[in-house]
Amino acid sequence: MKKITLLGIVSATIIALLSCTNPSSVKSSPYNNQQTAFDRFLSDRNSHKYDIGNDIQEAEFMKQFEQDLFNYIDSVKLFVNWTGTIDNISTIETDNITQVKFTIYYEREQFRKVKFNCLYFVDNDSLETDHIYNTVKNISNYSTVYFDGFIRTTNNNKVKYHFNKPGDRLNLGYPDYDFFIIEIGSANRGDSLSANLQDAVECAYKITEPLKLNFQKKISNAEQEARSNALEPEFTAAKAKLTKEEDSYLKRLTKALAINFLYGDD
């Protein structure tokens, strides 16, 4: 209950800021440069597993791999216009919320598969207008999709896997990540965001950081407020340049960033 209340507070803070202005062998890569680089990161480390000579070496290798993976994800931040196959589309409805569930995966080579498990929450009174819900409901299982988002992480700097735990050897060849979906569709949208949206995304990451640090009790309420207030003008100016669709994209991102740290101890 405490986390739900905190999510409401954090979301309200961010949305308020958003509202300050008005409206068998490796194949040739079918992916953009960002996805290809990430896949190469995984593939290179997967190939080194055959050099491991004993359990001690394996434990040290996997520990380093998980640290490198978190640092990589933390550096890249947002995946933009990645390509995959969607599957297992379903919903779970409650009185107030609909959970939209699906998996996106890709396979670059034999015996290696990368999966992203997506769980997206929609208020039931927003089903008719929610962008992600209305896009996904019109996509068939096993279709090719293009998607944006980021891998979920914990507050102690670990990657969140859907089934496996950090250090599991399957994380090399068959990683199965929990993933926040920000955009998805059947059409290739291009490999980069507009300049205006990119600026706003960078501001969203900046303005989320003091909220996260305060939640982790690393900075005081006063320090969090001071940092947020200092960042607000830049964020407001960036927001003012967005289209309606870009503004919705930014709101989905900021909400996901908040959930990531509010539930980052799970």
Side-chain angles (χ1 to χ4, degrees), residues 76-108:
V76 173
K77 291 185 170 41
L78 184 65
F79 300 168
V80 177
N81 201 46
W82 284 29
T83 306
T85 301
I86 192 169
D87 192 13
N88 299 319
I89 302 171
S90 65
T91 58
I92 299 176
E93 297 182 17
T94 63
D95 290 340
N96 301 313
I97 298 290
T98 293
Q99 300 177 34
V100 184
K101 302 174 68 177
F102 53 93
T103 300
I104 303 172
Y105 66 88
Y106 71 85
E107 298 178 89
R108 277 293 304 278

Side-chain angles (χ1 to χ4, degrees), residues 10-22 196-211 227-242 246-247 249-255 257:
V10 172
S11 296
T13 299
I14 294 173
I15 290 172
L17 291 170
L18 285 167
S19 303
C20 288
T21 59
N22 296 321
N196 288 339
L197 182 53
Q198 181 59 47
D199 287 343
V201 165
E202 291 176 2
C203 288
Y205 276 92
K206 290 179 184 177
I207 210 161
T208 300
E209 186 64 16
L211 297 172
R227 293 191 189 186
S228 295
N229 289 342
L231 292 166
E232 182 180 345
E234 180 184 4
F235 196 26
T236 300
K239 158 72 172 56
K241 300 176 183 178
L242 301 181
E246 290 174 337
D247 182 72
Y249 183 107
L250 188 65
K251 287 178 179 177
R252 291 193 296 273
L253 174 63
T254 53
K255 182 178 180 179
L257 290 173

Side-chain angles (χ1 to χ4, degrees), residues 92-182:
I92 299 176
E93 297 182 17
T94 63
D95 290 340
N96 301 313
I97 298 290
T98 293
Q99 300 177 34
V100 184
K101 302 174 68 177
F102 53 93
T103 300
I104 303 172
Y105 66 88
Y106 71 85
E107 298 178 89
R108 277 293 304 278
E109 55 195 80
Q110 191 176 20
F111 306 124
R112 197 167 65 82
K113 184 176 184 177
V114 181
K115 294 175 63 177
F116 305 93
N117 285 276
C118 305
L119 179 60
Y120 180 80
F121 294 89
V122 189
D123 291 335
N124 287 341
D125 58 6
S126 300
L127 288 175
E128 292 185 3
T129 58
D130 187 85
H131 173 68
I132 298 295
Y133 175 81
N134 285 284
T135 300
V136 172
K137 80 175 185 180
N138 290 309
I139 298 176
S140 299
N141 285 322
Y142 308 114
S143 298
T144 297
V145 292
Y146 298 86
F147 63 101
D148 297 9
F150 62 94
I151 293 172
R152 188 173 178 179
T153 56
T154 70
N155 289 335
N156 60 344
N157 298 342
K158 295 184 184 299
V159 170
K160 277 212 167 187
Y161 295 96
H162 193 60
F163 289 116
N164 302 331
K165 295 181 179 179
D168 192 314
R169 197 167 185 174
L170 285 175
N171 297 340
L172 293 168
Y174 294 88
D176 191 5
Y177 306 114
D178 280 341
F179 192 80
F180 284 107
I181 195 75
I182 306 301

Side-chain angles (χ1 to χ4, degrees), residues 1-11 155 211 214-217 221 258-259 261-266:
M1 184 63 69
K2 179 181 178 182
K3 287 184 177 179
I4 293 174
T5 302
L6 284 170
L7 174 58
I9 293 171
V10 172
S11 296
N155 289 335
L211 297 172
N214 177 253
F215 175 76
Q216 296 174 321
K217 302 188 184 305
N221 292 341
I259 294 172
F261 73 76
L262 288 173
Y263 292 85
D265 295 330
D266 293 348

